[in-house]
């Protein structure tokens, strides 16, 4: 889609809906669409056994467990996420968020998105690592780890307190820069696609982690889910440099090295 087409589509939206409707209801609908359209196919793959050679774990979730996840997600999204979007609207507008024309340049959008990834990785790492302390894991984060074999939709399956706590990592960047709504929407789409992919349970030949340096992906995060909380490591969000710097990925790197050596011996 060209910049002109984006502008034309956005012109229709701003002339038919208020700023509040676009920032809150529009953002919520966009999130739900991207999240479920990207996450539901992995339930289908798991149930049908398609592309099973790329599945990281051999264990499958039961339909009942998958259904429980979807039901809880809808409850959390409507009762936590949507009210949070509405409540944060005055904060974002006070920080400079706008939805009017002109649209931001692609250079501005790219620079802000890069900044969001950097600050989100830093904040998420420490927040996630804190959630693996004994009390917080037992009372809060253990909800997310109910699924030791994750699938795409489990990415947002969490205790409401965790949704608020780690959600801060996602919104702190935009809150600091006061972006255009288009930039905020793009950031949300990229973040949703990343976290769904990290929890999808499949490592494909075309997975981004095979091509993009320091990108975590499904194999990296799957390791985090299948180990006991006190020994898991791999706390990073999108890029894994924080785990590398603080040595919390040593177990994963060691296991990966052993697997690669074993594969070499078999060839």
């Amino acid at each position: 889609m060209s910049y002109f087409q984006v502008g034309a589509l956005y012109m229709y939206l701003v002339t038919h809906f208020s700023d509040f409707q676009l920032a809150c209801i529009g953002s919520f609908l966009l999130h739900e669409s991207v999240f479920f359209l990207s996450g539901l196919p992995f339930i289908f793959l798991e149930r049908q056994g398609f592309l099973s050679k790329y599945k990281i774990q051999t264990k499958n979730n039961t339909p009942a467990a998958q259904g429980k996840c979807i039901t809880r997600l809808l409850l959390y999204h409507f009762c936590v996420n949507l009210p949070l979007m509405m409540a944060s609207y005055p904060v974002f507008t006070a920080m400079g968020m706008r939805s009017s024309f002109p649209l931001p340049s692609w250079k501005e959008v790219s620079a802000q998105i890069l900044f969001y990834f950097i600050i989100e990785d830093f904040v998420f790492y420490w927040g996630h690592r804190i959630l693996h302390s004994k009390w917080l894991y037992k009372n809060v984060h253990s909800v997310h780890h109910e699924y030791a074999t994750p699938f795409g939709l489990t990415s947002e399956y969490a205790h409401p307190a965790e949704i608020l706590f780690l959600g801060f990592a996602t919104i702190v960047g935009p809150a600091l820069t006061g972006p255009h709504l288009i930039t905020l929407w793009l950031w949300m789409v990229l973040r949703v696609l990343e976290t769904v992919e990290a929890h999808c349970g499949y490592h494909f030949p075309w997975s981004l982690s095979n091509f993009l340096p320091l990108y975590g992906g499904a194999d990296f995060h799957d390791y985090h889910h299948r180990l006991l909380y006190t020994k898991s490591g791999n706390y990073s969000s999108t890029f894994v440099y924080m785990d590398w710097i603080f040595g919390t990925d040593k177990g994963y790197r060691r296991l990966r090295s052993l697997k690669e050596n074993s594969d070499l011996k078999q060839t």
Side-chain angles (χ1 to χ4, degrees):
M1 183 178 288
S2 68
Y3 188 80
F4 176 79
Q5 290 173 316
V6 171
L9 176 60
Y10 192 72
M11 174 63 79
Y12 174 84
L13 293 175
V14 297
T15 54
H16 287 78
F17 302 97
S18 68
D19 290 350
F20 178 82
Q21 289 173 326
L22 290 174
C24 299
I25 308 302
S27 297
F28 179 75
L29 292 176
L30 178 62
H31 172 275
E32 296 304 286
S33 300
V34 175
F35 178 70
F36 283 104
L37 287 175
S38 62
L40 284 172
F42 292 107
I43 289 182
F44 176 76
L45 290 179
E46 189 175 60
R47 288 188 181 185
Q48 300 302 318
F50 294 153
L51 301 176
S52 58
K53 66 179 180 179
Y54 300 121
K55 198 170 187 301
I56 299 169
Q57 298 187 47
T58 56
K59 180 183 176 182
N60 289 329
N61 293 283
T62 64
Q66 294 169 339
K68 174 188 174 184
C69 177
I70 295 173
T71 302
R72 290 278 185 91
L73 283 171
L74 290 172
L75 176 65
Y76 293 156
H77 285 183
F78 279 95
C79 296
V80 180
N81 291 17
L82 181 57
L84 182 61
M85 287 181 179
M86 292 180 174
S88 62
Y89 174 74
V91 177
F92 275 91
T93 52
M95 296 297 287
M97 186 189 75
R98 64 183 181 87
S99 57
S100 58
F101 280 91
L103 297 180
S105 68
W106 285 114
K107 288 184 179 180
E108 178 184 338
V109 172
S110 300
Q112 289 185 335
I113 293 294
L114 177 60
F115 172 70
Y116 299 162
F117 271 116
I118 293 171
I119 195 169
E120 198 272 344
D121 278 328
F122 179 83
V123 175
F124 184 96
Y125 173 85
W126 289 111
H128 191 190
R129 190 168 175 177
I130 290 169
L131 284 172
H132 276 263
S133 58
K134 189 173 182 179
W135 189 90
L136 283 174
Y137 183 89
K138 180 181 178 181
N139 294 280
V140 178
H141 194 49
S142 59
V143 174
H144 181 65
H145 279 269
E146 286 179 17
Y147 293 89
T149 307
F151 54 95
L153 295 182
T154 60
S155 57
E156 295 191 4
Y157 181 88
H159 191 285
E162 179 176 341
I163 295 173
L164 298 174
F165 185 58
L166 288 185
F168 175 76
T170 301
I171 67 172
V172 63
L176 290 173
T177 61
H180 193 281
L181 184 59
I182 285 287
T183 308
L184 186 63
W185 281 352
L186 179 58
W187 164 238
M188 181 173 62
V189 168
L190 292 175
R191 187 69 185 90
V192 168
L193 292 176
E194 181 279 323
T195 192
V196 167
E197 193 270 340
H199 289 81
C200 73
Y202 290 82
H203 184 70
F204 300 111
W206 55 87
S207 294
L208 274 179
S209 56
N210 294 326
F211 309 101
L212 192 59
L214 297 178
Y215 183 84
D219 188 62
F220 183 86
H221 194 68
D222 201 276
Y223 174 88
H224 174 81
H225 270 265
R226 65 180 184 265
L227 263 68
L228 293 174
Y229 79 94
T230 53
K231 304 176 182 179
S232 57
N234 289 23
Y235 302 117
S236 294
S237 176
T238 304
F239 297 98
V240 302
Y241 60 90
M242 292 293 291
D243 276 297
W244 180 78
I245 291 172
F246 292 99
T248 46
D249 63 347
K250 290 181 179 178
Y252 169 74
R253 299 299 175 193
R254 191 179 302 115
L255 180 65
R256 188 172 179 180
S257 178
L258 290 171
K259 185 177 183 302
E260 289 174 351
N261 291 334
S262 176
D263 291 343
L264 285 174
K265 290 178 181 179
Q266 293 176 5
T267 56

